[in-house]
Amino acid sequence: SRSSASLFKVSKEQALRNARQLYEKERADQKSHIHMIVIGHVDAGKSTLMGHLLYDTGNVSQRVMHKHEQESKKLGKQSFMYAWVLDETGEERARGITMDVGQSRIETKTKIVTLLDAPGHKDFIPNMISGATQADVALLVVDATRGEFESGFELGGQTREHAILVRSLGVNQLGVVINKLDTVGWSQERFNEIVTKLKAFLKQAGFKESDVTFTPCSGLTGENLTKQAQESGLTSWYSGPHLLDVIENFKIPERAIDKPMRMSVSDIYKGTGSGFCISGRVETGVLCLNDKVLVGASREQAQVKSLTMDEFPQTSVFAGDQVSVTLPAVDINNVTVGCIICDPQTPIPVTTRFQARIIVFNVKVPITMGFPVLLHHQSLIEPAVVCKLTASIHKSTGEVVKKKPRCLGNNSCALVELETSRPICIERYADFKELGRVMLRVAGVTIAAGMVTKIR
Ligand code: GDP
């Protein structure tokens, strides 16, 4: 029977070619998947825009839309009907704001886009961080209304903060939506003014000019969302892509198939027959039936005896797949939620201490040496302490601002060392993007997020 050992017994180049060919042969006809976060100042129109986009792409039924329309009419808030597609809970409706990172999907010609809708309210930045750590690309929504763009961008608004945050968490493709252009009579001058200001800022924040687009829209009227612009005020000067095209044109993040196999475990349950069943996501590489693997920090060796995806048996699965495996005869104590299963030839580092570049939000007391946190890494939640404050660094440029700072307050960016109580499996962000992101939480609130830079 086939196992990936046979794929990797050949030269490294040949092995990579084999893995890629196997993937292309088995998955030729499937759409690629992308995770998109929507960011921007509160009231920029994010929910309305995304609700309208979901409706226009046929992802919300007429029936549901009709229900939202009726309810919003009753409350005299009809302009909210699209926003409600995303805000499903009553509390959010009553307050008229989006609170958590809700999820929805849009299917385009070539892509399945999972939306991570980010809240705009200031207190909710911690929720946005958890969305941003999963995002491949971002849409930044700004309100073109006179005075509103300015308050969201210059006067303590969240436009800058959000853009810097997603960039810090590794997102590099950004679609900027210049929204609510209906409120300024579709003015080209206003559009250009905003683009000029944002361009300069985004460059400074570390975005490459070629990875950023600017699209004029109205989320409320639906102008330029999924169809070529119709409004004469806009068509007189704009003939570029509509928003759905922008989304369609995002580059697909490479599935890291050519890397050593890593699977993160998100669930463990008793299977039928012997052993138990483990489900999770293949983060990198290829996993085949009968492959030998190492389990978690214990590095116990096991063999893959069954492999399924959506309940269907598979002979091989790839980076990005959500799968279930059985590993007979493995010690149950060695398999835990959050642990990583890896390829024995190039195993994942196991450590209790590593350095991370973090960005700090929402701490009530500043972070000092010895600060206790809960470390979140994929599905792993592990007690840890901040055991060293190495340097505070500039948010956009990454330059060291101060060595060995005494404490770290809100909105600071820093290099710190973290120590976990038990050994964990972790990778550097530079080596494995998928396994090099962490979040720090205290009492249910995310206080920092970042990337692993060094492993002890
Ligand atoms: P969010 O906080 O960014 O999610 O913003 P919402 O989608 O809740 O919108 C905030 C307000 O702006 C609501 O009253 C919307 O009806 C209004 N709004 C949203 N998009 C547009 C637009 O394109 N044009 C106009 N004129 N108003 C809009």
Side-chain angles (χ1 to χ4, degrees):
S1 60
R2 182 169 52 160
S3 92
S4 66
S6 59
L7 284 175
F8 291 104
K9 253 179 222 152
V10 287
S11 75
K12 195 168 173 216
E13 291 72 36
Q14 187 59 45
L16 296 184
R17 267 200 302 279
N18 289 354
R20 179 66 55 188
Q21 271 169 12
L22 182 62
Y23 171 72
E24 276 160 13
K25 185 169 138 258
E26 299 208 351
R27 300 293 168 80
D29 51 349
Q30 290 182 10
K31 288 190 179 183
S32 39
H33 222 117
I34 195 164
H35 287 83
M36 181 169 84
I37 190 162
V38 184
I39 56 173
H41 191 61
V42 60
D43 282 348
K46 298 177 294 299
S47 309
T48 304
L49 182 83
M50 296 327 291
H52 209 143
L53 194 66
L54 283 168
Y55 180 67
D56 284 358
T57 51
N59 290 284
V60 185
S61 69
Q62 289 276 354
R63 189 183 56 77
V64 169
M65 209 60 236
H66 185 70
K67 187 186 88 185
H68 289 315
E69 191 177 356
Q70 293 303 312
E71 283 180 18
S72 53
K73 252 189 203 156
K74 236 188 287 172
L75 288 171
K77 285 188 183 172
Q78 207 175 345
S79 66
F80 278 135
M81 69 182 228
Y82 290 112
W84 284 359
V85 171
L86 292 163
D87 303 353
E88 274 302 330
T89 72
E91 189 200 352
E92 284 170 20
R93 283 188 190 177
R95 297 169 67 182
I97 45 174
T98 318
M99 291 216 325
D100 215 333
V101 179
Q103 280 203 7
S104 315
R105 280 154 61 112
I106 306 181
E107 252 191 87
T108 70
K109 264 178 265 149
T110 61
K111 286 190 179 77
I112 295 172
V113 185
T114 300
L115 292 182
L116 307 156
D117 174 69
H121 193 280
K122 205 165 184 170
D123 296 347
F124 300 142
I125 280 186
N127 293 336
M128 196 201 111
I129 295 178
S130 49
T133 57
Q134 301 162 40
D136 301 305
V137 300
L139 284 187
L140 170 64
V141 182
V142 299
D143 182 348
T145 311
R146 288 183 213 291
E148 291 300 325
F149 168 72
E150 285 72 14
S151 64
F153 183 60
E154 277 146 8
L155 310 165
Q158 281 101 58
T159 310
R160 282 168 193 269
E161 212 60 77
H162 283 189
I164 290 173
L165 186 69
V166 294
R167 186 68 200 93
S168 307
L169 295 176
V171 172
N172 48 28
Q173 297 182 71
L174 184 71
V176 181
V177 181
I178 316 289
N179 195 27
K180 304 199 194 179
L181 265 193
D182 57 301
T183 67
V184 291
W186 310 100
S187 161
Q188 179 180 18
E189 208 187 339
R190 180 64 173 160
F191 177 81
N192 287 342
E193 178 193 352
I194 293 173
V195 169
T196 306
K197 284 188 180 161
L198 284 175
K199 254 193 189 157
F201 159 72
L202 292 171
K203 193 169 166 204
Q204 205 189 27
F207 287 96
K208 263 202 266 168
E209 204 166 321
S210 57
D211 287 335
V212 181
T213 57
F214 297 90
T215 313
C217 279
S218 167
L220 194 61
T221 70
E223 189 64 23
N224 207 32
L225 291 192
T226 57
K227 288 194 295 279
Q228 199 73 41
Q230 312 269 302
E231 184 66 51
S232 60
L234 185 58
T235 53
S236 64
W237 59 270
Y238 184 80
S239 59
H242 52 67
L243 187 58
L244 194 62
D245 275 341
V246 169
I247 295 171
E248 181 82 322
N249 292 336
F250 276 131
K251 283 171 267 169
I252 295 288
E254 272 288 307
R255 282 200 186 209
I257 291 163
D258 331 353
K259 290 202 165 169
M261 200 285 295
R262 308 284 183 249
M263 172 184 163
S264 60
V265 175
S266 55
D267 204 3
I268 302 159
Y269 47 95
K270 185 92 187 91
T272 48
S274 71
F276 40 89
C277 206
I278 296 164
S279 63
R281 198 175 116 107
V282 181
E283 305 290 345
T284 55
V286 186
L287 181 64
C288 297
L289 200 59
N290 299 318
D291 270 2
K292 295 218 167 62
V293 293
L294 300 184
V295 178
S298 73
R299 293 194 164 159
E300 182 183 346
Q301 197 172 79
Q303 193 172 21
V304 176
K305 273 302 166 202
S306 84
L307 191 54
T308 59
M309 192 162 69
D310 297 328
E311 319 262 296
F312 292 105
Q314 306 285 328
T315 48
S316 33
V317 292
F318 304 91
D321 289 344
Q322 199 71 41
V323 303
S324 292
V325 298
T326 53
L327 304 174
V330 106
D331 181 351
I332 182 92
N333 298 309
N334 290 340
V335 196
T336 48
V337 168
C339 81
I340 310 286
I341 292 174
C342 71
D343 159 24
Q345 267 129 40
T346 32
I348 186 167
V350 173
T351 187
T352 56
R353 194 166 167 144
F354 63 92
Q355 186 192 59
R357 180 190 150 154
I358 61 164
I359 180 155
V360 180
F361 282 94
N362 249 56
V363 281
K364 291 213 181 72
V365 280
I367 296 177
T368 47
M369 224 193 307
F371 196 89
V373 293
L374 277 182
L375 175 79
H376 286 238
H377 176 251
Q378 299 288 346
S379 305
L380 178 77
I381 305 174
E382 189 71 23
V385 290
V386 179
C387 57
K388 188 172 173 190
L389 309 184
T390 311
S392 51
I393 56 184
H394 191 278
K395 259 195 240 172
S396 312
T397 65
E399 277 165 45
V400 171
V401 177
K402 188 169 185 218
K403 282 194 178 154
K404 297 192 182 159
R406 271 193 43 245
C407 62
L408 301 170
N410 284 327
N411 297 324
S412 58
C413 196
L415 286 175
V416 299
E417 281 188 24
L418 288 149
E419 184 150 20
T420 53
S421 36
R422 292 181 298 177
I424 61 166
C425 301
I426 202 157
E427 295 275 9
R428 290 190 328 141
Y429 181 82
D431 302 330
F432 287 78
K433 200 171 160 199
E434 303 75 9
L435 294 167
R437 286 171 172 163
V438 292
M439 282 198 289
L440 308 183
R441 290 169 66 95
V442 172
V445 176
T446 306
I447 58 153
M451 305 184 282
V452 179
T453 43
K454 268 187 211 160
I455 297 172
R456 281 280 175 114

